[in-house]
């Protein structure tokens, strides 16, 4: 086209297109290049599925003009539309949430609204699904929380390493080098760390929309590995205790009261073997189930369809998000969840029952906690997200740490082990007695029974000799003391040997 | 001047409960076996309680004061015969038999 000084087209004829019933625009003017004749008046062709008085431009599928009696619209101007608009009218971008990561969709109209009475346009929207929305999920908080168990672990092992008395306790038992005991502590600590550190970290990005296949595999492995390693630690602890009782002095056999309270070594070993078998069965069957399940938790789900709201009248548009998330057991049926977690459930249940039958032990609490959590996950799969799995991992991790490492180390530290009490004389360890087992507030290692008239002299010598040999020995013996020192009364119990010894040295005793 | 006065054994009667507590709260019971041990009513009481509570009994015998095996057997025999007929007799007999 060419325009003259009056703004008129001069010398060039304009080209005009008209849309035919098949939806194709064709030249109708100038005649020299016309592909078809001009149809007048221009109709709205039923074949292009546009309503009456609407217009189709043959590119795209939308009818740009609204029906009569609604808002007016022209090219590149959008008015009210009954129902959700087609995708020609908007665009969306996939971004992360502010300061964090996660699937977020910014919904933007392609055109401006023509009529201000259409108050829902433009209604640019944003859909956010940030799994990091919880405040304590910030990185620095997570790091502080998950690493909080480390000092306790280090403290426990420092106690093992530097407490000479503890090492002697270990050596004094049948576990000659203490390797089983230390290995049990190490494995249990590792399980606790996987629970309390690796689990939150594995779940932290699982719902952000940027998951990778490796991340999903790691999350699944951690979910099964953490309870398995703790269970292995418990098993090794039982084995270590059985080894420690090996070769228990035969002298115990004649004390029926003592003997009856000690579980036979063979029983403990059999229980440890059963635990080990359950562990292997769980690992094998879980691996088999995971590898055979299609769309299992170790795989990725993509292209989720989400709805985005546009106005207060619940107008919504479905947009396809390019989101990569790990498949979750939330999408599994109840039966599939049971099949997936059955090995874990069976292992904890059998072990828990076995522990109860052997008497109460802190490990029973840890096993019960694992059992309950697994049952909860089966029943309520929505728990399988970061905001719940992270605290659960921390709780189970701390429970395992306390029952399998801190408690036994503390017990050894206080020298209240029954094992040491009777074996200490066999291995040449220092002759120091633990607190009496029958202790209330007044407990004694030895009650020295004798007849005054025929054994007073001997006993008065025997008692200091015992105290010299075993300084911490508490002996109950009845004795007399001079009236001049105190009002006449019988002095009973504990310090029997000491005042007698002082009395002899000062010569105030007549024996 | 220090006057050494020894309490009469009658005083012990009021402390039998403490003695019993001492036996029951001990991990082991050392029986220092000398002559006339089994004839002593207090020693019998201690032994019976230790036996009842299944406390491990360690016997230390004084060869000089304890006399010969024969005299010890006679002593136990006499002590058994001299036991009062009460509900504790059977337990004490059992304990004495075990020690002998």
């Amino acid at each position: 086209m060419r325009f003259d000084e009056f703004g008129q087209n001069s010398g060039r004829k304009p080209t005009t297109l008209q849309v035919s019933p098949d939806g194709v625009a064709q030249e109708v003017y100038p005649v020299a290049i016309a592909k078809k004749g001009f149809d007048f008046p221009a109709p709205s062709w039923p074949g292009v599925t546009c309503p009456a008085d609407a217009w189709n431009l043959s590119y795209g599928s939308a009818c740009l003009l609204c029906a009569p009696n609604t808002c007016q619209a022209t090219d590149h101007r959008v008015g009210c539309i009954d129902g959700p608009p087609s995708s020609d009218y908007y665009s969306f971008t996939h971004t992360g949430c502010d300061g964090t990561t996660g699937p977020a969709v910014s919904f933007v109209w392609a055109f401006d609204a023509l009529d201000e009475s259409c108050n829902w346009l433009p209604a640019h929207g944003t859909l956010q699904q940030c799994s990091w929305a919880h405040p304590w999920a910030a990185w620095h908080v997570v790091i502080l929380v998950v690493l909080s168990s480390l000092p306790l672990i280090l403290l426990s092992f420092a106690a093992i390493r530097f407490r000479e008395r503890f090492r002697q306790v270990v050596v004094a038992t049948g576990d000659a080098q203490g390797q089983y005991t230390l290995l049990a502590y190490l494995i249990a600590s590792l399980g606790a760390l996987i629970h309390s550190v690796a689990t939150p970290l594995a779940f932290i990005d699982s719902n952000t929309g940027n998951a990778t296949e490796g991340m999903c595999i790691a999350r699944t492995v951690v979910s099964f590995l953490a309870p398995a390693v703790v269970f292995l630690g418990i098993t090794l602890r039982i084995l270590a205790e059985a080894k420690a009782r090996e070769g228990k002095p035969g002298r115990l056999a004649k004390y029926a009261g003592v003997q009856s309270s000690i579980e036979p070594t063979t029983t403990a070993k059999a229980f440890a073997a059963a635990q080990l078998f359950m562990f292997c069965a769980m690992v094998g069957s879980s691996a088999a189930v995971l590898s055979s399940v299609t769309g299992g938790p170790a795989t990725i789900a993509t292209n989720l369809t989400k709805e985005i709201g546009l106005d207060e009248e619940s107008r919504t548009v479905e947009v396809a998000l390019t989101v990569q998330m790990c498949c979750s057991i939330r999408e599994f049926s109840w039966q599939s969840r049971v099949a997936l977690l059955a090995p874990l459930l069976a292992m904890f249940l059998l072990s828990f029952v076995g522990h109860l039958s052997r008497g109460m032990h802190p490990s029973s609490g840890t096993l019960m906690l694992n059992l309950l959590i697994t049952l909860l996950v089966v029943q309520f799969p929505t728990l399988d997200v970061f905001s719940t799995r992270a605290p659960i991992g921390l709780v189970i991790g701390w429970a395992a740490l306390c029952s399998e490492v801190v408690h036994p180390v503390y017990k050894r530290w206080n020298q209240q082990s029954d094992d040491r009490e009777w074996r200490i004389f066999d291995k040449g360890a220092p002759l120091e007695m633990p607190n009496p087992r029958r202790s209330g507030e007044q407990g004694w290692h030895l009650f020295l029974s004798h007849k005054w008239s025929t054994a007073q002299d001997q006993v008065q010598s025997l008692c200091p000799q015992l105290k010299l040999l075993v300084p911490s020995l508490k002996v109950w013996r009845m004795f007399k003391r001079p009236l001049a020192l105190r009002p006449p009364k019988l002095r009973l119990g504990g310090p029997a040997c000491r005042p007698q010894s002082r009395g002899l040295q000062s010569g105030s005793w007549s024996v | 001047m220090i006057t050494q006065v020894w309490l009469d054994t009658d005083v012990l009667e009021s402390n039998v409960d403490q003695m019993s507590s001492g036996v029951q709260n001990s991990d082991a019971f050392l029986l220092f076996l000398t002559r006339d041990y089994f004839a002593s009513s207090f020693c019998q009481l201690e032994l019976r309680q230790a036996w009842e509570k299944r406390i491990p009994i360690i016997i230390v015998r004084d060869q000089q004061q304890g006399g010969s095996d024969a005299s010890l057997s006679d002593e136990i025999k006499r002590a058994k015969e001299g036991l009062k007929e009460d509900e504790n007799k059977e337990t004490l007999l059992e304990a004495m038999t075990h020690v002998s």
Side-chain angles (χ1 to χ4, degrees), chain A residues 486-511:
Chain A
R486 290 266 174 94
K489 67 175 183 178
L490 278 175
R491 181 70 180 272
L492 301 174
C497 287
R498 249 185 303 167
Q500 177 182 337
S501 177
R502 286 203 299 269
L504 286 173
Q505 287 170 1
S506 64
S508 62
W509 281 86
S510 174
V511 294

Side-chain angles (χ1 to χ4, degrees), chain A residues 212-296:
Chain A
T212 61
E213 189 176 358
M215 179 192 298
C216 298
I217 293 173
R219 191 186 76 165
T220 307
V221 169
V222 163
S223 298
F224 282 85
L225 190 65
V229 172
V230 168
F231 188 85
L232 187 61
I234 294 175
T235 304
L236 284 175
R237 194 256 308 157
I238 297 170
L239 186 63
E241 288 176 356
K243 292 290 292 181
R245 283 202 296 271
E246 268 185 350
K248 194 80 177 175
R251 68 178 66 165
L252 283 180
K254 62 183 176 183
Y255 303 131
V258 174
Q259 182 69 10
S260 63
S261 66
I262 297 174
E263 183 184 52
T265 305
T266 50
T267 309
K269 280 187 171 180
F271 185 65
Q275 290 249 127
L276 202 58
F277 175 77
M278 287 189 283
F279 171 79
C280 295
M282 189 281 294
V283 171
S285 53
S286 294
V289 171
L290 281 172
S291 59
S292 62
V293 169
T294 338

Side-chain angles (χ1 to χ4, degrees), chain A residues 80-84 117-121 123 308-317:
Chain A
C80 293
I81 303 169
D82 293 329
S117 64
C118 301
N119 55 7
W120 59 278
L121 284 177
I308 185 165
L310 298 180
D311 67 343
E312 296 178 353
E313 298 174 357
S314 301
R315 293 174 187 271
T316 57
V317 173

Side-chain angles (χ1 to χ4, degrees), chain A residues 255-258 421-422 435-440 442-452 454-455 458-459 462 466 476 478 480-485 488-490 492 507-511, chain B residues 1-9 11-12 15 18-19 21-37 39-40 43 46-47 53-58 60 62 65 98:
Chain A
Y255 303 131
V258 174
E421 183 177 352
W422 291 102
N435 291 329
R437 281 183 303 161
R438 296 176 187 271
S439 60
Q442 289 291 325
W444 318 100
H445 295 111
L446 198 64
F447 184 95
L448 216 165
S449 176
H450 64 286
K451 181 170 173 59
W452 287 4
T454 56
Q458 297 91 321
V459 166
L462 176 64
L466 285 172
W476 199 102
M478 195 170 291
K480 304 171 182 179
R481 61 183 309 150
L483 182 63
L485 297 178
K489 67 175 183 178
L490 278 175
L492 301 174
S508 62
W509 281 86
S510 174
V511 294
Chain B
M1 176 180 177
I2 297 177
T3 304
Q4 298 183 2
V5 179
W6 298 98
L7 296 175
D8 191 90
T9 54
V11 181
L12 189 60
N15 294 284
Q18 288 176 277
M19 187 183 69
S21 173
V23 174
Q24 293 171 15
N25 290 323
S26 296
D27 287 347
F29 183 88
L30 193 149
L31 192 159
F32 197 84
L33 184 57
T34 55
R35 182 168 45 81
D36 293 337
Y37 177 89
S40 165
C43 293
E46 294 165 358
L47 176 60
K53 296 294 177 186
R54 305 186 73 80
I55 296 172
I57 298 174
I58 304 166
V60 177
D62 185 342
Q65 294 288 329
H98 179 79

